[in-house]
Amino acid sequence: MHILAKNAIIEYSISGAPVESAAKTLVFLPGWGRTKNDFDALARLLEARLRDLCLIALDLPGFGGSPMPADAGLGIAEYAEILDDFLRKLGIRKAVLVGHSFGAKIALRFAALFPQKTEKLILI
């Protein structure tokens, strides 16, 4: 699936409970040069055991199926703002962010900029 967030086309996958009825939403943020597919096995495991979770994995702009926007020059704050717009467009008010490496940096910045939208951080 694709969505436009802050002039960036974001490729993402969603599984588990629907956003509207999920007890919690986990958003997986991959490391530098990595893709949403890095979280496939973990998402399948969680989906099988915790059926009330909504699980979303995305390719960060510039990696995987998410091209770098034409007005490139993205820093951590810009990635966090793109994530904010992405979550808003999916109707997610609060999320558990699971970030690996570079994704963890984005999760930390997001939590600093938008604490009211951050339920928890899981940093790998």
Side-chain angles (χ1 to χ4, degrees), residues 80-93:
E81 290 170 6
I82 289 169
L83 177 60
D84 178 51
D85 195 36
F86 172 82
L87 295 176
R88 186 181 56 75
K89 288 186 174 176
L90 289 180
I92 299 165
R93 292 181 170 185

Side-chain angles (χ1 to χ4, degrees), residues 86-109:
F86 172 82
L87 295 176
R88 186 181 56 75
K89 288 186 174 176
L90 289 180
I92 299 165
R93 292 181 170 185
K94 202 168 205 178
V96 175
L97 302 178
V98 181
H100 171 255
S101 188
F102 184 67
K105 285 183 176 184
I106 295 168
L108 284 167
R109 180 59 60 96

Side-chain angles (χ1 to χ4, degrees), residues 16-17 26 43-55:
L26 272 68
R44 280 192 303 273
L45 231 141
L46 291 171
E47 184 178 10
R49 288 172 173 74
L50 303 166
R51 300 192 185 278
D52 59 347
L53 295 179
C54 177
L55 307 165

Side-chain angles (χ1 to χ4, degrees), residues 11-96:
E11 183 172 309
Y12 69 100
S13 61
I14 188 166
S15 60
V19 170
E20 320 69 60
S21 62
K24 292 188 186 302
T25 299
L26 272 68
V27 178
F28 298 101
L29 304 169
W32 185 262
R34 305 301 304 174
T35 71
K36 64 184 177 358
N37 299 342
D38 289 354
F39 295 101
D40 287 351
L42 177 58
R44 280 192 303 273
L45 231 141
L46 291 171
E47 184 178 10
R49 288 172 173 74
L50 303 166
R51 300 192 185 278
D52 59 347
L53 295 179
C54 177
L55 307 165
I56 300 171
L58 57 106
D59 285 339
L60 297 169
F63 306 104
S66 298
M68 184 60 78
D71 59 346
L74 301 177
I76 298 294
E78 289 80 16
Y79 276 101
E81 290 170 6
I82 289 169
L83 177 60
D84 178 51
D85 195 36
F86 172 82
L87 295 176
R88 186 181 56 75
K89 288 186 174 176
L90 289 180
I92 299 165
R93 292 181 170 185
K94 202 168 205 178
V96 175

